[in-house]
Amino acid sequence: MLSPRVAPAGILLAAVTALSGCGSQNTTTPSAALEGPAPAAATPAAALESPERVADTPSATASGLTITDPWVKTVKKGMTTAFGTLVNSTGAAVTVVSATSPLSPMIELHEIADSGGKMVMRPKKGGFVIPARGTYRLQPGGDHIMLMGVTEEVKPGARIPFTLTLADGGKVTFTAVGKDFAGAKEDYQPGMGDG
């Protein structure tokens, strides 16, 4: 049994330990600041972009958006597509409005839709909206990032950098890996070109 003098000292020690643990989570490294959502006004602009990551490692930003398993279909020239799963760890929807990559001068966010009984690719109006604490899958035969006029051959294992721009102006950077894939031979709407 603890004496009346020892019990308050033990409680005080436990309280100090708990408080010091809470304070250390937000003050040390830049990566700690990226783990939780932060108000945009309080976040330096440099913190909005993460370093490039390999395809099996999610990228992260202060926006709370990450992408897992990003990959690009291999191609010699012409057009290709990028895929992955967008993950929103925040309590509000996040919208991706555009994408860029040194691999292509023209990139569009695409959807696959039924047009008179035929599945066609077309630009996704409003971009990709990732629900609060939800995911948004970019996949062959579904929504994807379309790269047109690629500037170099994409071989298996190639590492392709991308930057996504969000509706609030934030950026998400990641590196996708080249993979062979023979499926998803969708048609374009008239005027969009041939795949």
Side-chain angles (χ1 to χ4, degrees):
M1 174 130 201
L2 295 175
S3 72
R5 291 183 191 187
V6 175
I11 292 170
L12 180 60
L13 179 59
V16 168
T17 303
L19 288 175
S20 67
C22 292
S24 67
Q25 291 178 351
N26 296 323
T27 59
T28 55
T29 65
S31 62
L34 296 177
E35 289 176 3
T43 305
L48 291 175
E49 295 189 30
S50 68
E52 288 182 6
R53 312 279 180 155
V54 294
D56 60 352
T57 306
S59 65
T61 69
S63 69
L65 185 69
T66 60
I67 184 166
T68 58
D69 301 320
W71 63 281
V72 176
K73 183 178 181 275
T74 57
V75 67
K76 289 188 187 244
K77 63 179 182 174
M79 295 182 251
T80 191
T81 48
F83 309 102
T85 301
L86 297 163
V87 180
N88 178 1
S89 64
T90 73
V94 173
T95 302
V96 175
V97 295
S98 66
T100 59
S101 172
L103 182 63
S104 171
M106 184 175 176
I107 298 179
E108 294 179 349
L109 307 180
H110 276 192
E111 67 180 346
I112 303 297
D114 185 303
S115 177
K118 187 176 184 182
M119 299 307 286
V120 296
M121 275 188 245
R122 64 183 181 202
K124 176 81 171 175
K125 290 183 180 175
F128 301 145
V129 180
I130 303 90
R133 306 215 184 288
T135 61
Y136 193 96
R137 191 161 179 211
L138 305 177
Q139 62 185 345
D143 292 0
H144 57 274
I145 299 169
M146 189 77 205
L147 296 88
M148 292 158 271
V150 297
T151 57
E152 61 186 73
E153 180 179 359
V154 178
K155 296 180 179 181
R159 295 170 47 98
I160 312 298
F162 283 86
T163 300
L164 302 178
T165 300
L166 310 180
D168 67 2
K171 306 281 186 189
V172 176
T173 61
F174 65 93
T175 299
V177 172
K179 289 186 182 182
D180 285 331
F181 183 78
K185 302 271 187 201
E186 298 87 1
D187 291 325
Y188 289 92
Q189 283 209 26
M192 287 190 68
D194 295 322

